[in-house]
Amino acid sequence: MARDIAARRHRTILERLDRFESITVEELAQSLDVSRETIRRDLKALSTSGLLSVVHGGAIRNERSEAPFTSRRTVNRAGKELIADLAVSLLGDGMTILLDSGTTTEALARALARSDRKRLIVHTTSLENARLASRLPGARVFLIGGEFDRNEDATTGAETLRAIARLSADFAFVSVGGVDPDGRLTDYTRAGAATRSALLHAAEQGFLMADSSKFGLVLPSRIGSDEPFAGLLVDQMPPAPLAAKLVECGVTVRAS
């Protein structure tokens, strides 16, 4: 219980820094109704994780980013492949699908390239996913436009959101940065969360995907909205407390 309460405070602190870039110990103590000593411990823990920098009287925002894409590919690769196979099993020939640029989505694109699915229409923000999907027999592949992010090898920004808003698809599959202890599905940045939320909104059935390394990870930007999505695809069921929180949030979990 104490760990869950601390995680909620940490998420609130990160959300405020994402909005305001700096915050004081006094402001946080008053708004969260805890002691200044508790807030200082929270800030120290978040600083140790590289999520903020402690300054005199408070904290300032760090640029939060994931590890380089090439290194993320190696994290729980087997789990991501299990999720990818589960996603492929949901698809039939001739469907239209949307893919984001995450490493789990790339595993899905590779699984699709090995599958017997035919005549798929694929829209993606990822250059690599577009290349992989083009191997499918009879596939039509569209790269969603926007500003190019060389760290993600993908498009992003306002132009990307406008392009997604014009799409309609059977399925969307997007990667999750973290599944926090309250069952919230989150990302490192507002831009990433906005892109993934838009992809979910543009599909009849939107699935998020998170391998077990993402369980319990607290990140500042929430993916999705109050609208329901089809479910969360995972390589293994989350621990019981987290699974219960996901149920409370109305999230249907499907394990491979």
Side-chain angles (χ1 to χ4, degrees), residues 55-226:
V55 297
H56 181 69
I60 59 174
R61 184 177 69 185
N62 281 354
E63 288 298 323
R64 290 185 286 277
S65 60
E66 293 180 273
F69 201 90
T70 52
S71 64
R72 279 155 42 205
R73 283 191 180 108
T74 64
V75 177
N76 196 11
R77 178 178 292 174
K80 292 172 183 176
E81 290 174 352
L82 288 172
I83 295 169
D85 290 339
L86 176 58
V88 170
S89 73
L90 301 173
L91 299 175
D93 293 345
M95 288 185 170
T96 298
I97 65 173
L98 309 177
L99 305 177
D100 76 331
S101 62
T103 54
T104 308
T105 322
E106 184 179 298
L108 170 53
R110 293 184 185 279
L112 280 173
R114 297 190 302 267
S115 75
D116 59 357
R117 302 301 185 270
K118 299 178 179 64
R119 303 183 308 280
L120 293 184
I121 299 173
V122 180
H123 296 266
T124 181
T125 58
S126 163
L127 291 179
E128 180 64 8
N129 287 350
R131 186 184 69 80
L132 290 166
S134 68
R135 298 177 182 175
L136 285 161
R140 298 180 65 197
V141 181
F142 298 87
L143 186 62
I144 299 170
E147 182 180 357
F148 182 69
D149 181 345
R150 63 183 180 182
N151 292 323
E152 288 292 309
D153 204 28
T155 54
T156 189
E159 288 293 335
T160 301
L161 295 178
R162 283 192 284 269
I164 294 170
R166 296 192 293 269
L167 298 175
S168 179
D170 298 299
F171 286 88
F173 297 98
V174 304
S175 301
V176 171
V179 184
D180 78 14
D182 279 340
R184 298 193 183 196
L185 308 168
T186 57
D187 204 354
Y188 285 82
T189 66
R190 282 177 287 182
T195 298
R196 291 172 169 89
S197 297
L199 289 167
L200 292 170
H201 182 71
E204 288 293 325
Q205 297 190 67
F207 285 94
L208 298 111
M209 304 186 295
D211 71 88
S212 55
S213 70
K214 309 293 180 62
F215 296 164
L217 187 59
V218 177
L219 297 174
S221 298
R222 188 174 182 180
I223 299 172
S225 63
D226 293 333

Side-chain angles (χ1 to χ4, degrees), residues 41-58:
R41 287 195 296 270
D42 290 339
L43 296 181
K44 182 178 180 180
L46 291 167
S47 175
T48 300
S49 299
L51 296 174
L52 55 77
S53 293
V54 175
V55 297
H56 181 69

